[in-house]
Amino acid sequence: MYDQVVSCGEMISTKIVSEYLNEIQFTNQWLDARDYIKTDNSYREGTVDWTRTEEFISNLNPEICYVTQGFIGSDDNNFTVTLGREGSDYSAAIFAYCLNAEAMTIWKDVPGVMTGDPRKFEDVSLLSNISYEEAIEMAYYGASVIHPKTLQPLQQKNIPFYVKSFVDPTKEGTKVGASDKNQHEESYILKENQALLKISTRDFSFIAEDHMSLIFGYLSKYKIKVSLMQNSAISLALCLEDKFNQLEELNEELQKIFKTEAIKNVSLFTVRNAKMDHIERFYQEKNVLLEQISKNTLQMVTQ
């Protein structure tokens, strides 16, 4: 029912925009995205059926300007299925991929992709050119301006992707794609409202492959995403995103077999392209519960 209700805003607002544009002589055709983007029935996080979706979208007339919705598709029963966080950007990427677009642009309230969220970090700057890989990494770690799902179809067909500001549309923004101008600047990402779950065996035996398989099976069952993981011989620490508030149920299942400790309301702080000779500054005034350093990326779970 959630998906059927929240999609109403998209349907109503796009109808209004389409009619307004036609009234001011910007000719366009309104279309229902649910007739074109086909998914399974994984409500709130639909998986696209690319074969059927490409078949439907490829029949659109490239000479016509269309106004449609983001965030939604439909399943085999024509029930509305939403595409998850930043689903509107993902919808644009689906259309761009299926139409073999020359480029795709999304419009935000920031100048483009920044080295950090200006609402959370000081002295951040614009990244004018970054690679698909860098953008995917940043999005995976929690950069809210783009989502990894948006980038994957564009990368497959090497479609340039622009992030620009609707506050100042004349500004250059950020270009994501293959370029010899791509930057690798130190960037900061803060992912809040996370949970830290520590899991260990009751008999001090190793956390083996069968344990890992069981744990990740439960994570999939409860639709809880792993933001960071770290394991030792007898324990596993997971920083989790509990989008559907099912951590308690997961913990109860795991406690039948393992010893667990859950810490809620923690944050995951990530530094991409970190200057390792100056990383001590990131630890100041932080209660660090877990840290991980790999190549040029520093991550810490803080409380």
Side-chain angles (χ1 to χ4, degrees):
M1 294 311 299
Y2 174 92
D3 288 36
Q4 314 316 306
V5 173
V6 300
S7 58
C8 292
E10 290 283 335
M11 304 303 293
I12 296 167
S13 60
T14 53
K15 268 286 190 183
I16 293 169
V17 169
S18 176
E19 291 297 330
Y20 170 73
L21 291 174
N22 279 322
E23 187 174 300
I24 64 170
Q25 310 306 311
F26 190 98
T27 305
N28 73 92
Q29 184 175 318
W30 181 88
L31 60 84
D32 189 336
R34 298 172 298 185
D35 294 335
Y36 295 86
I37 297 178
K38 294 297 177 180
T39 73
D40 64 2
N41 61 357
S42 301
Y43 297 106
R44 299 184 73 171
E45 199 81 40
T47 299
V48 174
D49 180 336
W50 284 97
T51 302
R52 295 177 64 212
T53 298
E54 190 164 14
E55 177 186 341
F56 289 129
I57 292 178
S58 62
N59 290 325
L60 292 173
N61 185 345
E63 303 301 318
I64 294 176
C65 177
Y66 295 96
V67 172
T68 189
Q69 307 78 41
F71 183 59
I72 59 174
S74 67
D75 62 14
D76 289 341
N77 293 313
N78 288 323
F79 289 125
T80 304
V81 180
T82 59
L83 304 178
R85 185 178 73 84
E86 300 297 328
S88 292
D89 298 348
Y90 185 32
S91 298
I94 293 167
F95 276 97
Y97 175 90
C98 295
L99 293 168
N100 296 307
E102 292 181 9
M104 175 184 131
T105 302
I106 61 171
W107 300 88
K108 300 286 183 177
D109 61 352
V110 291
V113 180
M114 312 289 287
T115 55
D117 186 336
R119 293 166 293 191
K120 298 175 182 177
F121 300 99
E122 297 177 355
D123 302 322
V124 296
S125 58
L126 176 70
L127 293 166
S128 56
N129 289 271
I130 56 174
S131 65
Y132 292 113
E133 293 80 4
E134 183 69 14
I136 288 171
E137 291 279 0
M138 292 178 68
Y140 173 78
Y141 290 130
S144 59
V145 71
I146 47 180
H147 190 281
K149 281 185 179 180
T150 303
L151 293 153
Q152 289 161 356
L154 301 177
Q155 184 183 27
Q156 288 181 34
K157 290 191 175 180
N158 201 25
I159 298 171
F161 168 43
Y162 295 89
V163 182
K164 303 185 75 171
S165 169
F166 58 70
V167 178
D168 192 347
T170 60
K171 290 288 180 68
E172 185 179 336
T174 300
K175 178 184 177 182
V176 180
S179 171
D180 56 5
K181 297 179 181 178
N182 285 339
Q183 299 161 276
H184 299 278
E185 301 293 328
E186 190 172 79
S187 302
Y188 320 104
I189 303 157
L190 185 64
K191 203 172 185 180
E192 298 175 304
N193 301 315
Q194 302 287 290
L196 180 62
L197 184 63
K198 298 179 180 179
I199 305 166
S200 59
T201 54
R202 294 186 179 277
D203 58 359
F204 293 98
S205 60
F206 292 154
I207 292 278
E209 287 78 5
D210 55 341
H211 295 132
M212 298 285 274
S213 177
L214 182 65
I215 291 166
F216 277 87
Y218 283 133
L219 288 166
S220 176
K221 174 183 176 180
Y222 291 106
K223 298 183 178 180
I224 295 177
K225 293 186 177 180
V226 178
S227 302
L228 177 70
M229 64 175 287
Q230 188 176 94
N231 67 295
S232 67
I234 59 172
S235 67
L236 176 68
L238 301 171
C239 182
L240 302 172
E241 183 175 349
D242 183 22
K243 184 176 179 181
F244 301 111
N245 299 313
Q246 300 196 87
L247 180 63
E248 296 292 344
E249 289 88 341
L250 169 68
N251 202 20
E252 286 177 12
E253 292 264 28
L254 292 175
Q255 284 179 344
K256 296 174 184 176
I257 306 166
F258 304 99
K259 289 168 56 180
T260 68
E261 179 188 0
I263 305 172
K264 297 181 179 180
N265 298 318
V266 301
S267 297
L268 176 61
F269 177 53
T270 302
V271 184
R272 285 283 298 162
N273 304 306
K275 298 171 183 174
M276 293 301 178
D277 51 343
H278 294 99
I279 63 170
E280 67 279 351
R281 69 192 190 279
F282 297 121
Y283 292 85
Q284 296 174 4
E285 299 179 4
K286 288 186 177 71
N287 178 20
V288 179
L289 305 176
L290 183 71
E291 64 176 317
Q292 191 164 284
I293 300 175
S294 58
K295 201 174 179 180
N296 62 346
T297 300
L298 165 67
Q299 292 188 283
M300 57 179 73
V301 177
T302 64
Q303 191 177 38

mmCIF file of all heavy atoms in Angstrom, residues 46-67:
data_model
loop_
_atom_site.group_PDB
_atom_site.id
_atom_site.type_symbol
_atom_site.label_atom_id
_atom_site.label_comp_id
_atom_site.label_asym_id
_atom_site.label_seq_id
_atom_site.Cartn_x
_atom_site.Cartn_y
_atom_site.Cartn_z
ATOM 1 N N GLY A 46 12.158 -1.683 -5.991
ATOM 2 C CA GLY A 46 11.925 -2.513 -7.157
ATOM 3 C C GLY A 46 13.177 -2.798 -7.977
ATOM 4 O O GLY A 46 14.045 -1.960 -8.129
ATOM 5 N N THR A 47 13.246 -4.023 -8.518
ATOM 6 C CA THR A 47 14.329 -4.422 -9.421
ATOM 7 C C THR A 47 13.815 -4.353 -10.848
ATOM 8 O O THR A 47 12.783 -4.956 -11.183
ATOM 9 C CB THR A 47 14.809 -5.847 -9.109
ATOM 10 O OG1 THR A 47 15.322 -5.886 -7.767
ATOM 11 C CG2 THR A 47 15.900 -6.282 -10.074
ATOM 12 N N VAL A 48 14.517 -3.637 -11.704
ATOM 13 C CA VAL A 48 14.051 -3.385 -13.072
ATOM 14 C C VAL A 48 14.183 -4.633 -13.940
ATOM 15 O O VAL A 48 15.206 -5.323 -13.919
ATOM 16 C CB VAL A 48 14.844 -2.223 -13.699
ATOM 17 C CG1 VAL A 48 14.477 -2.031 -15.177
ATOM 18 C CG2 VAL A 48 14.594 -0.936 -12.923
ATOM 19 N N ASP A 49 13.143 -4.906 -14.700
ATOM 20 C CA ASP A 49 13.187 -5.917 -15.754
ATOM 21 C C ASP A 49 13.685 -5.198 -17.011
ATOM 22 O O ASP A 49 12.923 -4.567 -17.735
ATOM 23 C CB ASP A 49 11.785 -6.499 -15.975
ATOM 24 C CG ASP A 49 11.754 -7.570 -17.064
ATOM 25 O OD1 ASP A 49 12.646 -7.570 -17.942
ATOM 26 O OD2 ASP A 49 10.827 -8.404 -17.036
ATOM 27 N N TRP A 50 14.995 -5.285 -17.234
ATOM 28 C CA TRP A 50 15.617 -4.468 -18.283
ATOM 29 C C TRP A 50 15.145 -4.847 -19.687
ATOM 30 O O TRP A 50 15.001 -3.984 -20.563
ATOM 31 C CB TRP A 50 17.137 -4.555 -18.181
ATOM 32 C CG TRP A 50 17.663 -3.741 -17.049
ATOM 33 C CD1 TRP A 50 17.994 -4.172 -15.801
ATOM 34 C CD2 TRP A 50 17.873 -2.323 -17.048
ATOM 35 N NE1 TRP A 50 18.403 -3.115 -15.017
ATOM 36 C CE2 TRP A 50 18.349 -1.977 -15.754
ATOM 37 C CE3 TRP A 50 17.713 -1.319 -18.002
ATOM 38 C CZ2 TRP A 50 18.658 -0.665 -15.399
ATOM 39 C CZ3 TRP A 50 18.017 -0.014 -17.653
ATOM 40 C CH2 TRP A 50 18.487 0.302 -16.372
ATOM 41 N N THR A 51 14.891 -6.114 -19.932
ATOM 42 C CA THR A 51 14.481 -6.552 -21.275
ATOM 43 C C THR A 51 13.152 -5.915 -21.666
ATOM 44 O O THR A 51 13.014 -5.315 -22.745
ATOM 45 C CB THR A 51 14.373 -8.085 -21.326
ATOM 46 O OG1 THR A 51 15.639 -8.661 -20.976
ATOM 47 C CG2 THR A 51 13.980 -8.544 -22.726
ATOM 48 N N ARG A 52 12.157 -6.035 -20.795
ATOM 49 C CA ARG A 52 10.835 -5.474 -21.094
ATOM 50 C C ARG A 52 10.872 -3.949 -21.082
ATOM 51 O O ARG A 52 10.242 -3.296 -21.930
ATOM 52 C CB ARG A 52 9.812 -5.995 -20.093
ATOM 53 C CG ARG A 52 9.573 -7.488 -20.181
ATOM 54 C CD ARG A 52 8.613 -7.956 -19.110
ATOM 55 N NE ARG A 52 7.288 -7.362 -19.293
ATOM 56 C CZ ARG A 52 6.472 -7.074 -18.287
ATOM 57 N NH1 ARG A 52 6.848 -7.275 -17.042
ATOM 58 N NH2 ARG A 52 5.284 -6.560 -18.537
ATOM 59 N N THR A 53 11.613 -3.383 -20.131
ATOM 60 C CA THR A 53 11.684 -1.923 -20.031
ATOM 61 C C THR A 53 12.304 -1.321 -21.280
ATOM 62 O O THR A 53 11.791 -0.333 -21.841
ATOM 63 C CB THR A 53 12.503 -1.522 -18.785
ATOM 64 O OG1 THR A 53 11.831 -2.006 -17.617
ATOM 65 C CG2 THR A 53 12.671 -0.017 -18.693
ATOM 66 N N GLU A 54 13.397 -1.905 -21.750
ATOM 67 C CA GLU A 54 14.048 -1.387 -22.958
ATOM 68 C C GLU A 54 13.140 -1.539 -24.176
ATOM 69 O O GLU A 54 13.096 -0.668 -25.050
ATOM 70 C CB GLU A 54 15.381 -2.100 -23.182
ATOM 71 C CG GLU A 54 16.231 -1.466 -24.258
ATOM 72 C CD GLU A 54 17.677 -1.918 -24.220
ATOM 73 O OE1 GLU A 54 17.986 -2.916 -23.533
ATOM 74 O OE2 GLU A 54 18.510 -1.279 -24.884
ATOM 75 N N GLU A 55 12.398 -2.627 -24.223
ATOM 76 C CA GLU A 55 11.471 -2.856 -25.337
ATOM 77 C C GLU A 55 10.418 -1.749 -25.395
ATOM 78 O O GLU A 55 10.119 -1.214 -26.470
ATOM 79 C CB GLU A 55 10.796 -4.218 -25.157
ATOM 80 C CG GLU A 55 9.751 -4.548 -26.218
ATOM 81 C CD GLU A 55 9.014 -5.837 -25.915
ATOM 82 O OE1 GLU A 55 9.514 -6.652 -25.110
ATOM 83 O OE2 GLU A 55 7.910 -6.017 -26.470
ATOM 84 N N PHE A 56 9.865 -1.376 -24.242
ATOM 85 C CA PHE A 56 8.815 -0.349 -24.209
ATOM 86 C C PHE A 56 9.388 1.047 -24.481
ATOM 87 O O PHE A 56 8.844 1.815 -25.278
ATOM 88 C CB PHE A 56 8.104 -0.365 -22.857
ATOM 89 C CG PHE A 56 7.226 -1.567 -22.641
ATOM 90 C CD1 PHE A 56 7.343 -2.330 -21.490
ATOM 91 C CD2 PHE A 56 6.278 -1.939 -23.581
ATOM 92 C CE1 PHE A 56 6.541 -3.439 -21.287
ATOM 93 C CE2 PHE A 56 5.469 -3.040 -23.394
ATOM 94 C CZ PHE A 56 5.600 -3.806 -22.237
ATOM 95 N N ILE A 57 10.482 1.385 -23.813
ATOM 96 C CA ILE A 57 11.030 2.750 -23.927
ATOM 97 C C ILE A 57 11.603 3.010 -25.312
ATOM 98 O O ILE A 57 11.509 4.137 -25.837
ATOM 99 C CB ILE A 57 12.094 2.991 -22.830
ATOM 100 C CG1 ILE A 57 11.424 3.022 -21.453
ATOM 101 C CG2 ILE A 57 12.842 4.308 -23.074
ATOM 102 C CD1 ILE A 57 12.387 3.213 -20.290
ATOM 103 N N SER A 58 12.191 1.995 -25.924
ATOM 104 C CA SER A 58 12.810 2.200 -27.249
ATOM 105 C C SER A 58 11.789 2.566 -28.321
ATOM 106 O O SER A 58 12.152 3.044 -29.398
ATOM 107 C CB SER A 58 13.580 0.948 -27.675
ATOM 108 O OG SER A 58 12.702 -0.166 -27.802
ATOM 109 N N ASN A 59 10.499 2.373 -28.036
ATOM 110 C CA ASN A 59 9.456 2.722 -29.006
ATOM 111 C C ASN A 59 9.037 4.188 -28.928
ATOM 112 O O ASN A 59 8.234 4.649 -29.743
ATOM 113 C CB ASN A 59 8.216 1.837 -28.783
ATOM 114 C CG ASN A 59 8.462 0.390 -29.181
ATOM 115 O OD1 ASN A 59 9.187 0.129 -30.144
ATOM 116 N ND2 ASN A 59 7.879 -0.543 -28.440
ATOM 117 N N LEU A 60 9.560 4.935 -27.948
ATOM 118 C CA LEU A 60 9.220 6.354 -27.844
ATOM 119 C C LEU A 60 9.797 7.134 -29.021
ATOM 120 O O LEU A 60 10.871 6.809 -29.541
ATOM 121 C CB LEU A 60 9.743 6.921 -26.524
ATOM 122 C CG LEU A 60 9.077 6.405 -25.243
ATOM 123 C CD1 LEU A 60 9.808 6.920 -24.016
ATOM 124 C CD2 LEU A 60 7.606 6.825 -25.198
ATOM 125 N N ASN A 61 9.092 8.175 -29.404
ATOM 126 C CA ASN A 61 9.508 9.014 -30.529
ATOM 127 C C ASN A 61 10.570 10.019 -30.068
ATOM 128 O O ASN A 61 10.277 10.882 -29.233
ATOM 129 C CB ASN A 61 8.289 9.764 -31.077
ATOM 130 C CG ASN A 61 8.611 10.563 -32.317
ATOM 131 O OD1 ASN A 61 9.777 10.798 -32.649
ATOM 132 N ND2 ASN A 61 7.581 10.997 -33.027
ATOM 133 N N PRO A 62 11.797 9.946 -30.581
ATOM 134 C CA PRO A 62 12.862 10.853 -30.126
ATOM 135 C C PRO A 62 12.637 12.306 -30.523
ATOM 136 O O PRO A 62 13.333 13.202 -30.031
ATOM 137 C CB PRO A 62 14.119 10.287 -30.791
ATOM 138 C CG PRO A 62 13.612 9.550 -31.995
ATOM 139 C CD PRO A 62 12.283 8.994 -31.600
ATOM 140 N N GLU A 63 11.665 12.583 -31.387
ATOM 141 C CA GLU A 63 11.384 13.953 -31.815
ATOM 142 C C GLU A 63 10.404 14.659 -30.876
ATOM 143 O O GLU A 63 10.151 15.845 -31.023
ATOM 144 C CB GLU A 63 10.804 13.948 -33.237
ATOM 145 C CG GLU A 63 11.689 13.278 -34.285
ATOM 146 C CD GLU A 63 13.050 13.941 -34.380
ATOM 147 O OE1 GLU A 63 13.115 15.186 -34.349
ATOM 148 O OE2 GLU A 63 14.065 13.209 -34.459
ATOM 149 N N ILE A 64 9.853 13.909 -29.917
ATOM 150 C CA ILE A 64 8.853 14.476 -29.007
ATOM 151 C C ILE A 64 9.476 14.706 -27.633
ATOM 152 O O ILE A 64 10.280 13.909 -27.162
ATOM 153 C CB ILE A 64 7.643 13.514 -28.883
ATOM 154 C CG1 ILE A 64 6.905 13.404 -30.226
ATOM 155 C CG2 ILE A 64 6.674 13.977 -27.790
ATOM 156 C CD1 ILE A 64 5.755 12.414 -30.225
ATOM 157 N N CYS A 65 9.084 15.819 -26.988
ATOM 158 C CA CYS A 65 9.489 16.069 -25.600
ATOM 159 C C CYS A 65 8.441 15.452 -24.680
ATOM 160 O O CYS A 65 7.247 15.718 -24.830
ATOM 161 C CB CYS A 65 9.598 17.567 -25.347
ATOM 162 S SG CYS A 65 10.014 17.970 -23.641
ATOM 163 N N TYR A 66 8.892 14.623 -23.769
ATOM 164 C CA TYR A 66 7.980 13.949 -22.837
ATOM 165 C C TYR A 66 8.165 14.488 -21.423
ATOM 166 O O TYR A 66 9.267 14.851 -21.022
ATOM 167 C CB TYR A 66 8.246 12.444 -22.818
ATOM 168 C CG TYR A 66 7.960 11.742 -24.134
ATOM 169 C CD1 TYR A 66 8.984 11.492 -25.042
ATOM 170 C CD2 TYR A 66 6.670 11.329 -24.461
ATOM 171 C CE1 TYR A 66 8.736 10.846 -26.245
ATOM 172 C CE2 TYR A 66 6.407 10.678 -25.662
ATOM 173 C CZ TYR A 66 7.443 10.441 -26.553
ATOM 174 O OH TYR A 66 7.193 9.800 -27.743
ATOM 175 N N VAL A 67 7.084 14.511 -20.675
ATOM 176 C CA VAL A 67 7.139 14.755 -19.233
ATOM 177 C C VAL A 67 6.623 13.489 -18.548
ATOM 178 O O VAL A 67 5.526 13.021 -18.849
ATOM 179 C CB VAL A 67 6.274 15.966 -18.822
ATOM 180 C CG1 VAL A 67 6.197 16.072 -17.294
ATOM 181 C CG2 VAL A 67 6.830 17.252 -19.411
#
